[in-house]
Short mmCIF file of all heavy atoms in Angstrom, two decimals:
data_model
loop_
_atom_site.label_atom_id
_atom_site.label_comp_id
_atom_site.label_asym_id
_atom_site.label_seq_id
_atom_site.Cartn_x
_atom_site.Cartn_y
_atom_site.Cartn_z
N GLY A 405 -56.07 140.37 84.24
CA GLY A 405 -54.75 140.93 84.08
C GLY A 405 -53.84 140.76 85.28
O GLY A 405 -52.61 140.70 85.11
N GLU A 406 -54.39 140.72 86.45
CA GLU A 406 -53.59 140.56 87.67
C GLU A 406 -54.56 140.19 88.75
O GLU A 406 -55.78 140.29 88.58
CB GLU A 406 -52.85 141.85 87.98
CG GLU A 406 -53.81 143.03 88.08
CD GLU A 406 -53.12 144.31 88.50
OE1 GLU A 406 -52.30 144.31 89.42
OE2 GLU A 406 -53.45 145.36 87.91
N PRO A 407 -53.99 139.75 89.89
CA PRO A 407 -54.90 139.43 91.01
C PRO A 407 -55.67 140.71 91.38
O PRO A 407 -55.13 141.79 91.41
CB PRO A 407 -53.94 139.04 92.12
CG PRO A 407 -52.66 138.64 91.45
CD PRO A 407 -52.57 139.51 90.21
N ASP A 429 -63.76 137.07 88.04
CA ASP A 429 -62.32 137.30 88.08
C ASP A 429 -61.69 136.23 87.19
O ASP A 429 -61.65 135.06 87.56
CB ASP A 429 -61.84 137.20 89.52
CG ASP A 429 -60.35 137.33 89.67
OD1 ASP A 429 -59.64 137.57 88.67
OD2 ASP A 429 -59.86 137.15 90.78
N THR A 430 -61.22 136.63 86.02
CA THR A 430 -60.82 135.64 85.01
C THR A 430 -59.31 135.54 84.90
O THR A 430 -58.62 136.49 84.58
CB THR A 430 -61.37 136.07 83.60
OG1 THR A 430 -60.78 137.34 83.23
CG2 THR A 430 -62.89 136.23 83.65
N TRP A 432 -56.13 134.02 83.03
CA TRP A 432 -55.61 133.41 81.79
C TRP A 432 -54.37 134.15 81.37
O TRP A 432 -53.90 135.01 82.08
CB TRP A 432 -56.70 133.38 80.68
CG TRP A 432 -57.29 134.69 80.27
CD1 TRP A 432 -58.06 135.53 81.03
CD2 TRP A 432 -57.14 135.33 78.99
NE1 TRP A 432 -58.43 136.62 80.27
CE2 TRP A 432 -57.88 136.53 79.04
CE3 TRP A 432 -56.51 134.98 77.80
CZ2 TRP A 432 -57.96 137.40 77.95
CZ3 TRP A 432 -56.61 135.83 76.72
CH2 TRP A 432 -57.33 137.02 76.78
N GLN A 433 -53.84 133.80 80.21
CA GLN A 433 -52.56 134.35 79.75
C GLN A 433 -52.54 134.49 78.24
O GLN A 433 -53.35 133.85 77.56
CB GLN A 433 -51.41 133.40 80.09
CG GLN A 433 -51.31 132.98 81.54
CD GLN A 433 -50.18 132.00 81.74
OE1 GLN A 433 -50.18 130.91 81.23
NE2 GLN A 433 -49.21 132.42 82.54
N THR A 434 -51.62 135.29 77.74
CA THR A 434 -51.41 135.35 76.30
C THR A 434 -51.31 133.94 75.75
O THR A 434 -51.83 133.61 74.68
CB THR A 434 -50.11 136.13 75.99
OG1 THR A 434 -50.21 137.42 76.61
CG2 THR A 434 -49.87 136.28 74.51
N ASP A 520 -47.09 131.10 87.39
CA ASP A 520 -47.77 131.82 88.45
C ASP A 520 -47.79 130.97 89.73
O ASP A 520 -47.86 129.73 89.65
CB ASP A 520 -49.25 132.08 88.09
CG ASP A 520 -49.39 133.30 87.20
OD1 ASP A 520 -48.48 134.14 87.13
OD2 ASP A 520 -50.44 133.43 86.56
N ARG A 535 -46.74 136.24 89.47
CA ARG A 535 -45.66 135.52 88.81
C ARG A 535 -44.63 135.01 89.80
O ARG A 535 -44.33 135.66 90.80
CB ARG A 535 -44.94 136.46 87.84
CG ARG A 535 -45.86 137.20 86.86
CD ARG A 535 -46.45 136.31 85.82
NE ARG A 535 -45.44 135.53 85.10
CZ ARG A 535 -45.73 134.61 84.20
NH1 ARG A 535 -47.00 134.36 83.91
NH2 ARG A 535 -44.80 133.95 83.56
N ASN A 541 -45.72 142.46 86.57
CA ASN A 541 -47.05 142.75 86.07
C ASN A 541 -47.36 144.21 86.46
O ASN A 541 -47.71 144.48 87.59
CB ASN A 541 -48.05 141.78 86.66
CG ASN A 541 -49.39 141.84 86.00
OD1 ASN A 541 -49.81 142.93 85.61
ND2 ASN A 541 -50.06 140.74 85.87
N ARG A 546 -47.47 142.54 81.11
CA ARG A 546 -46.28 141.77 81.50
C ARG A 546 -45.05 142.42 80.96
O ARG A 546 -44.89 142.72 79.79
CB ARG A 546 -46.42 140.36 80.89
CG ARG A 546 -47.21 139.46 81.80
CD ARG A 546 -47.66 138.27 81.04
NE ARG A 546 -46.55 137.39 80.72
CZ ARG A 546 -46.74 136.24 80.10
NH1 ARG A 546 -47.92 135.86 79.72
NH2 ARG A 546 -45.70 135.46 79.84
C1 WTA B 706 -51.67 137.56 85.51
C2 WTA B 706 -53.52 138.58 80.27
C3 WTA B 706 -54.47 136.89 88.84
C4 WTA B 706 -50.98 136.23 85.72
C5 WTA B 706 -54.84 137.88 79.97
C6 WTA B 706 -50.78 135.70 84.32
C7 WTA B 706 -53.85 137.24 86.65
C8 WTA B 706 -50.48 136.95 83.58
C9 WTA B 706 -55.23 137.24 86.27
C10 WTA B 706 -50.82 136.86 82.12
C11 WTA B 706 -56.20 137.08 87.29
C12 WTA B 706 -53.97 137.52 84.52
N1 WTA B 706 -55.79 136.88 88.57
N2 WTA B 706 -53.50 137.05 87.93
N3 WTA B 706 -57.52 137.09 87.05
N4 WTA B 706 -55.27 137.42 84.94
N5 WTA B 706 -53.14 137.42 85.56
O1 WTA B 706 -50.21 137.22 79.18
O2 WTA B 706 -49.73 136.47 86.37
O3 WTA B 706 -50.78 139.68 79.60
O4 WTA B 706 -49.73 134.77 84.23
O5 WTA B 706 -52.48 137.85 79.74
O6 WTA B 706 -51.28 137.96 84.20
O7 WTA B 706 -50.67 138.10 81.48
P1 WTA B 706 -50.98 138.23 79.94
#
Side-chain angles (χ1 to χ4, degrees):
E406 55 176 316
D429 175 5
T430 63
W432 59 293
Q433 307 178 297
T434 304
D520 279 341
R535 308 290 307 176
N541 190 325
R546 274 163 71 177

